[in-house]
Amino acid sequence: MENNQKKRWRPNLFDLIFIACVIIAAVVIINLGGRSGGGIISAGGQETVRYTISLERMAEDTATLISPGDTLVDRVEQRQLGTVVSVEVLPSRGLRTNFYTGERVNSEIPGENEAIIVVEAPATVTENQINVGGFVIRAGVQVSVNGPLYHGSGWIIDIERDGDAA
Protein backbone atom coordinates (compact mmCIF):
# COMPACT_ATOMS: atom_id res chain seq x y z
CA MET A 1 0.00 0.00 0.00
CA GLU A 2 1.05 3.48 -0.83
CA ASN A 3 0.97 6.40 1.54
CA ASN A 4 -1.32 9.01 -0.16
CA GLN A 5 -1.15 11.68 2.52
CA LYS A 6 -0.33 15.20 1.31
CA LYS A 7 2.47 17.09 2.96
CA ARG A 8 1.41 20.36 4.53
CA TRP A 9 3.64 23.39 4.42
CA ARG A 10 4.93 24.22 7.85
CA PRO A 11 6.68 27.60 8.02
CA ASN A 12 10.02 27.59 9.78
CA LEU A 13 12.04 30.51 11.13
CA PHE A 14 13.78 31.16 7.78
CA ASP A 15 10.42 31.42 5.96
CA LEU A 16 9.09 33.96 8.50
CA ILE A 17 12.24 36.12 8.25
CA PHE A 18 12.07 36.04 4.43
CA ILE A 19 8.38 37.10 4.39
CA ALA A 20 9.07 39.94 6.88
CA CYS A 21 11.94 41.24 4.69
CA VAL A 22 9.75 41.23 1.56
CA ILE A 23 6.99 43.18 3.36
CA ILE A 24 9.45 45.75 4.73
CA ALA A 25 11.05 46.23 1.30
CA ALA A 26 7.62 46.73 -0.31
CA VAL A 27 6.65 49.38 2.27
CA VAL A 28 9.93 51.27 1.75
CA ILE A 29 9.57 51.23 -2.06
CA ILE A 30 5.96 52.46 -1.88
CA ASN A 31 6.83 55.29 0.53
CA LEU A 32 9.81 56.54 -1.49
CA GLY A 33 8.20 56.08 -4.90
CA GLY A 34 4.94 57.85 -4.00
CA ARG A 35 6.54 61.24 -3.38
CA SER A 36 6.73 63.97 -6.00
CA GLY A 37 10.18 63.95 -7.54
CA GLY A 38 10.55 60.24 -6.92
CA GLY A 39 12.92 60.36 -3.95
CA ILE A 40 13.76 61.70 -0.55
CA ILE A 41 13.82 65.48 -0.41
CA SER A 42 16.94 66.61 1.36
CA ALA A 43 16.85 69.41 3.88
CA GLY A 44 17.34 72.84 2.42
CA GLY A 45 16.81 76.48 3.19
CA GLN A 46 13.39 78.14 3.26
CA GLU A 47 12.85 80.91 0.70
CA THR A 48 9.92 82.72 -0.82
CA VAL A 49 9.54 81.77 -4.46
CA ARG A 50 7.47 83.47 -7.16
CA TYR A 51 6.58 81.38 -10.16
CA THR A 52 4.35 81.94 -13.15
CA ILE A 53 1.71 79.50 -14.35
CA SER A 54 0.01 79.68 -17.74
CA LEU A 55 -3.46 78.13 -17.47
CA GLU A 56 -4.54 77.31 -21.00
CA ARG A 57 -7.91 76.97 -22.73
CA MET A 58 -10.07 78.14 -19.83
CA ALA A 59 -13.74 78.79 -20.49
CA GLU A 60 -14.28 82.48 -21.25
CA ASP A 61 -15.83 83.52 -17.91
CA THR A 62 -13.80 81.16 -15.70
CA ALA A 63 -10.51 82.99 -16.16
CA THR A 64 -12.05 86.24 -14.89
CA LEU A 65 -12.80 84.58 -11.51
CA ILE A 66 -9.10 84.40 -10.64
CA SER A 67 -8.06 87.21 -8.30
CA PRO A 68 -4.99 88.14 -6.22
CA GLY A 69 -5.05 86.56 -2.76
CA ASP A 70 -6.59 83.26 -3.93
CA THR A 71 -4.96 80.11 -2.56
CA LEU A 72 -4.08 77.53 -5.20
CA VAL A 73 -4.21 73.79 -4.46
CA ASP A 74 -2.86 70.93 -6.57
CA ARG A 75 -5.84 69.04 -8.03
CA VAL A 76 -4.10 65.67 -8.00
CA GLU A 77 -2.61 65.42 -4.50
CA GLN A 78 -4.40 68.34 -2.76
CA ARG A 79 -1.18 70.17 -1.79
CA GLN A 80 -0.97 73.93 -1.20
CA LEU A 81 0.84 75.58 -4.13
CA GLY A 82 0.83 79.18 -2.95
CA THR A 83 -1.10 82.44 -3.19
CA VAL A 84 -1.99 84.32 -6.37
CA VAL A 85 -0.09 87.63 -6.58
CA SER A 86 -1.31 88.81 -9.96
CA VAL A 87 -3.29 87.55 -12.93
CA GLU A 88 -3.49 88.54 -16.59
CA VAL A 89 -6.27 87.18 -18.80
CA LEU A 90 -5.52 86.93 -22.52
CA PRO A 91 -7.48 85.45 -25.40
CA SER A 92 -6.45 81.85 -26.03
CA ARG A 93 -4.49 81.35 -29.25
CA GLY A 94 -3.78 78.27 -31.32
CA LEU A 95 -2.86 77.08 -34.78
CA ARG A 96 -5.76 77.00 -37.24
CA THR A 97 -5.85 76.12 -40.92
CA ASN A 98 -6.57 78.93 -43.35
CA PHE A 99 -8.89 77.22 -45.81
CA TYR A 100 -8.12 79.69 -48.61
CA THR A 101 -4.33 79.25 -48.58
CA GLY A 102 -3.92 75.93 -46.72
CA GLU A 103 -1.43 77.51 -44.30
CA ARG A 104 -1.49 77.06 -40.53
CA VAL A 105 -1.89 80.45 -38.82
CA ASN A 106 -1.82 81.45 -35.17
CA SER A 107 -5.26 82.84 -34.33
CA GLU A 108 -7.62 83.38 -31.40
CA ILE A 109 -9.77 80.49 -30.20
CA PRO A 110 -13.29 81.82 -29.64
CA GLY A 111 -14.83 81.26 -26.21
CA GLU A 112 -11.53 80.41 -24.49
CA ASN A 113 -9.00 82.43 -22.49
CA GLU A 114 -5.50 81.94 -21.16
CA ALA A 115 -4.65 83.07 -17.62
CA ILE A 116 -1.08 84.04 -16.76
CA ILE A 117 -0.87 83.75 -12.96
CA VAL A 118 2.03 84.82 -10.73
CA VAL A 119 2.05 82.69 -7.56
CA GLU A 120 4.05 83.29 -4.38
CA ALA A 121 4.85 80.46 -1.96
CA PRO A 122 7.30 79.52 0.77
CA ALA A 123 9.60 76.83 -0.62
CA THR A 124 12.34 74.49 0.48
CA VAL A 125 15.27 75.18 -1.82
CA THR A 126 18.07 72.65 -2.22
CA GLU A 127 20.96 72.43 -4.64
CA ASN A 128 18.88 70.33 -7.05
CA GLN A 129 15.26 71.42 -6.67
CA ILE A 130 12.67 73.86 -5.41
CA ASN A 131 9.89 72.22 -3.41
CA VAL A 132 6.55 73.82 -2.49
CA GLY A 133 4.52 71.63 -0.15
CA GLY A 134 5.94 68.43 -1.64
CA PHE A 135 5.46 69.61 -5.24
CA VAL A 136 8.71 70.08 -7.18
CA ILE A 137 8.66 73.40 -9.04
CA ARG A 138 10.44 73.42 -12.41
CA ALA A 139 9.89 75.42 -15.57
CA GLY A 140 8.04 73.27 -18.08
CA VAL A 141 6.23 71.14 -15.49
CA GLN A 142 2.52 70.61 -16.08
CA VAL A 143 0.23 71.62 -13.20
CA SER A 144 -3.46 71.21 -12.48
CA VAL A 145 -4.81 73.67 -9.92
CA ASN A 146 -7.98 74.37 -7.99
CA GLY A 147 -8.90 77.86 -6.86
CA PRO A 148 -11.90 79.02 -4.83
CA LEU A 149 -14.34 79.06 -7.79
CA TYR A 150 -12.28 77.72 -10.69
CA HIS A 151 -9.84 75.06 -11.84
CA GLY A 152 -7.46 74.75 -14.72
CA SER A 153 -4.37 73.09 -16.08
CA GLY A 154 -1.29 74.48 -17.73
CA TRP A 155 2.45 74.85 -17.40
CA ILE A 156 4.97 76.54 -15.12
CA ILE A 157 6.64 79.07 -17.41
CA ASP A 158 8.91 81.09 -15.08
CA ILE A 159 10.48 80.89 -11.61
CA GLU A 160 11.90 83.75 -9.56
CA ARG A 161 13.60 83.27 -6.17
CA ASP A 162 14.25 85.90 -3.48
CA GLY A 163 17.99 85.77 -4.11
CA ASP A 164 17.64 86.30 -7.88
CA ALA A 165 18.50 89.71 -9.26
CA ALA A 166 15.59 91.51 -10.88
mmCIF file with all atom_site columns, all heavy atoms in Angstrom, residues 37 41 63 127 129 131 139 148 150 156:
data_model
loop_
_atom_site.group_PDB
_atom_site.id
_atom_site.type_symbol
_atom_site.label_atom_id
_atom_site.label_alt_id
_atom_site.label_comp_id
_atom_site.label_asym_id
_atom_site.label_entity_id
_atom_site.label_seq_id
_atom_site.pdbx_PDB_ins_code
_atom_site.Cartn_x
_atom_site.Cartn_y
_atom_site.Cartn_z
_atom_site.occupancy
_atom_site.B_iso_or_equiv
_atom_site.pdbx_formal_charge
_atom_site.auth_seq_id
_atom_site.auth_comp_id
_atom_site.auth_asym_id
_atom_site.auth_atom_id
_atom_site.pdbx_PDB_model_num
ATOM 1  N N   . GLY A 1 37  ? 8.753   63.886 -7.313  1.00 0.00 ? 37  GLY A N   1
ATOM 2  C CA  . GLY A 1 37  ? 10.182  63.946 -7.538  1.00 0.00 ? 37  GLY A CA  1
ATOM 3  C C   . GLY A 1 37  ? 10.824  62.578 -7.447  1.00 0.00 ? 37  GLY A C   1
ATOM 4  O O   . GLY A 1 37  ? 11.957  62.403 -7.811  1.00 0.00 ? 37  GLY A O   1
ATOM 5  N N   . ILE A 1 41  ? 13.492  64.075 -0.241  1.00 0.00 ? 41  ILE A N   1
ATOM 6  C CA  . ILE A 1 41  ? 13.824  65.479 -0.413  1.00 0.00 ? 41  ILE A CA  1
ATOM 7  C C   . ILE A 1 41  ? 14.774  65.869 0.718   1.00 0.00 ? 41  ILE A C   1
ATOM 8  O O   . ILE A 1 41  ? 14.425  65.765 1.887   1.00 0.00 ? 41  ILE A O   1
ATOM 9  C CB  . ILE A 1 41  ? 12.557  66.360 -0.379  1.00 0.00 ? 41  ILE A CB  1
ATOM 10 C CG1 . ILE A 1 41  ? 11.637  65.958 -1.512  1.00 0.00 ? 41  ILE A CG1 1
ATOM 11 C CG2 . ILE A 1 41  ? 12.920  67.823 -0.431  1.00 0.00 ? 41  ILE A CG2 1
ATOM 12 C CD1 . ILE A 1 41  ? 10.278  66.582 -1.444  1.00 0.00 ? 41  ILE A CD1 1
ATOM 13 N N   . ALA A 1 63  ? -11.787 82.317 -16.382 1.00 0.00 ? 63  ALA A N   1
ATOM 14 C CA  . ALA A 1 63  ? -10.511 82.991 -16.158 1.00 0.00 ? 63  ALA A CA  1
ATOM 15 C C   . ALA A 1 63  ? -10.686 84.310 -15.420 1.00 0.00 ? 63  ALA A C   1
ATOM 16 O O   . ALA A 1 63  ? -9.784  84.750 -14.708 1.00 0.00 ? 63  ALA A O   1
ATOM 17 C CB  . ALA A 1 63  ? -9.796  83.211 -17.486 1.00 0.00 ? 63  ALA A CB  1
ATOM 18 N N   . GLU A 1 127 ? 20.053  72.255 -3.507  1.00 0.00 ? 127 GLU A N   1
ATOM 19 C CA  . GLU A 1 127 ? 20.958  72.429 -4.636  1.00 0.00 ? 127 GLU A CA  1
ATOM 20 C C   . GLU A 1 127 ? 20.315  71.955 -5.941  1.00 0.00 ? 127 GLU A C   1
ATOM 21 O O   . GLU A 1 127 ? 20.579  72.492 -7.003  1.00 0.00 ? 127 GLU A O   1
ATOM 22 C CB  . GLU A 1 127 ? 22.239  71.638 -4.377  1.00 0.00 ? 127 GLU A CB  1
ATOM 23 C CG  . GLU A 1 127 ? 23.308  71.821 -5.415  1.00 0.00 ? 127 GLU A CG  1
ATOM 24 C CD  . GLU A 1 127 ? 24.570  71.065 -5.050  1.00 0.00 ? 127 GLU A CD  1
ATOM 25 O OE1 . GLU A 1 127 ? 25.006  71.148 -3.900  1.00 0.00 ? 127 GLU A OE1 1
ATOM 26 O OE2 . GLU A 1 127 ? 25.097  70.386 -5.945  1.00 0.00 ? 127 GLU A OE2 1
ATOM 27 N N   . GLN A 1 129 ? 16.683  71.199 -6.403  1.00 0.00 ? 129 GLN A N   1
ATOM 28 C CA  . GLN A 1 129 ? 15.265  71.416 -6.670  1.00 0.00 ? 129 GLN A CA  1
ATOM 29 C C   . GLN A 1 129 ? 14.648  72.469 -5.758  1.00 0.00 ? 129 GLN A C   1
ATOM 30 O O   . GLN A 1 129 ? 15.199  72.799 -4.724  1.00 0.00 ? 129 GLN A O   1
ATOM 31 C CB  . GLN A 1 129 ? 14.492  70.113 -6.541  1.00 0.00 ? 129 GLN A CB  1
ATOM 32 C CG  . GLN A 1 129 ? 14.470  69.533 -5.151  1.00 0.00 ? 129 GLN A CG  1
ATOM 33 C CD  . GLN A 1 129 ? 13.840  68.150 -5.137  1.00 0.00 ? 129 GLN A CD  1
ATOM 34 O OE1 . GLN A 1 129 ? 13.604  67.558 -6.170  1.00 0.00 ? 129 GLN A OE1 1
ATOM 35 N NE2 . GLN A 1 129 ? 13.575  67.635 -3.956  1.00 0.00 ? 129 GLN A NE2 1
ATOM 36 N N   . ASN A 1 131 ? 11.012  73.038 -3.839  1.00 0.00 ? 131 ASN A N   1
ATOM 37 C CA  . ASN A 1 131 ? 9.894   72.222 -3.411  1.00 0.00 ? 131 ASN A CA  1
ATOM 38 C C   . ASN A 1 131 ? 8.872   73.073 -2.668  1.00 0.00 ? 131 ASN A C   1
ATOM 39 O O   . ASN A 1 131 ? 9.202   73.709 -1.676  1.00 0.00 ? 131 ASN A O   1
ATOM 40 C CB  . ASN A 1 131 ? 10.449  71.127 -2.503  1.00 0.00 ? 131 ASN A CB  1
ATOM 41 C CG  . ASN A 1 131 ? 9.413   70.209 -1.976  1.00 0.00 ? 131 ASN A CG  1
ATOM 42 O OD1 . ASN A 1 131 ? 8.258   70.586 -1.801  1.00 0.00 ? 131 ASN A OD1 1
ATOM 43 N ND2 . ASN A 1 131 ? 9.815   69.000 -1.691  1.00 0.00 ? 131 ASN A ND2 1
ATOM 44 N N   . ALA A 1 139 ? 10.468  74.859 -14.352 1.00 0.00 ? 139 ALA A N   1
ATOM 45 C CA  . ALA A 1 139 ? 9.893   75.419 -15.572 1.00 0.00 ? 139 ALA A CA  1
ATOM 46 C C   . ALA A 1 139 ? 9.618   74.282 -16.542 1.00 0.00 ? 139 ALA A C   1
ATOM 47 O O   . ALA A 1 139 ? 10.433  73.393 -16.719 1.00 0.00 ? 139 ALA A O   1
ATOM 48 C CB  . ALA A 1 139 ? 10.839  76.437 -16.196 1.00 0.00 ? 139 ALA A CB  1
ATOM 49 N N   . PRO A 1 148 ? -10.626 78.973 -5.538  1.00 0.00 ? 148 PRO A N   1
ATOM 50 C CA  . PRO A 1 148 ? -11.904 79.016 -4.828  1.00 0.00 ? 148 PRO A CA  1
ATOM 51 C C   . PRO A 1 148 ? -13.114 78.715 -5.716  1.00 0.00 ? 148 PRO A C   1
ATOM 52 O O   . PRO A 1 148 ? -14.005 77.993 -5.303  1.00 0.00 ? 148 PRO A O   1
ATOM 53 C CB  . PRO A 1 148 ? -11.965 80.442 -4.299  1.00 0.00 ? 148 PRO A CB  1
ATOM 54 C CG  . PRO A 1 148 ? -10.563 80.912 -4.259  1.00 0.00 ? 148 PRO A CG  1
ATOM 55 C CD  . PRO A 1 148 ? -9.853  80.203 -5.370  1.00 0.00 ? 148 PRO A CD  1
ATOM 56 N N   . TYR A 1 150 ? -12.753 78.073 -9.356  1.00 0.00 ? 150 TYR A N   1
ATOM 57 C CA  . TYR A 1 150 ? -12.276 77.719 -10.691 1.00 0.00 ? 150 TYR A CA  1
ATOM 58 C C   . TYR A 1 150 ? -11.241 76.605 -10.587 1.00 0.00 ? 150 TYR A C   1
ATOM 59 O O   . TYR A 1 150 ? -10.745 76.287 -9.509  1.00 0.00 ? 150 TYR A O   1
ATOM 60 C CB  . TYR A 1 150 ? -11.653 78.932 -11.379 1.00 0.00 ? 150 TYR A CB  1
ATOM 61 C CG  . TYR A 1 150 ? -10.585 79.590 -10.546 1.00 0.00 ? 150 TYR A CG  1
ATOM 62 C CD1 . TYR A 1 150 ? -9.266  79.177 -10.625 1.00 0.00 ? 150 TYR A CD1 1
ATOM 63 C CD2 . TYR A 1 150 ? -10.901 80.618 -9.659  1.00 0.00 ? 150 TYR A CD2 1
ATOM 64 C CE1 . TYR A 1 150 ? -8.287  79.760 -9.847  1.00 0.00 ? 150 TYR A CE1 1
ATOM 65 C CE2 . TYR A 1 150 ? -9.924  81.208 -8.885  1.00 0.00 ? 150 TYR A CE2 1
ATOM 66 C CZ  . TYR A 1 150 ? -8.628  80.778 -8.985  1.00 0.00 ? 150 TYR A CZ  1
ATOM 67 O OH  . TYR A 1 150 ? -7.664  81.342 -8.220  1.00 0.00 ? 150 TYR A OH  1
ATOM 68 N N   . ILE A 1 156 ? 4.142   75.553 -15.820 1.00 0.00 ? 156 ILE A N   1
ATOM 69 C CA  . ILE A 1 156 ? 4.972   76.545 -15.120 1.00 0.00 ? 156 ILE A CA  1
ATOM 70 C C   . ILE A 1 156 ? 5.903   77.129 -16.171 1.00 0.00 ? 156 ILE A C   1
ATOM 71 O O   . ILE A 1 156 ? 6.634   76.386 -16.837 1.00 0.00 ? 156 ILE A O   1
ATOM 72 C CB  . ILE A 1 156 ? 5.766   75.904 -13.973 1.00 0.00 ? 156 ILE A CB  1
ATOM 73 C CG1 . ILE A 1 156 ? 4.799   75.353 -12.916 1.00 0.00 ? 156 ILE A CG1 1
ATOM 74 C CG2 . ILE A 1 156 ? 6.727   76.920 -13.357 1.00 0.00 ? 156 ILE A CG2 1
ATOM 75 C CD1 . ILE A 1 156 ? 5.475   74.611 -11.786 1.00 0.00 ? 156 ILE A CD1 1
#
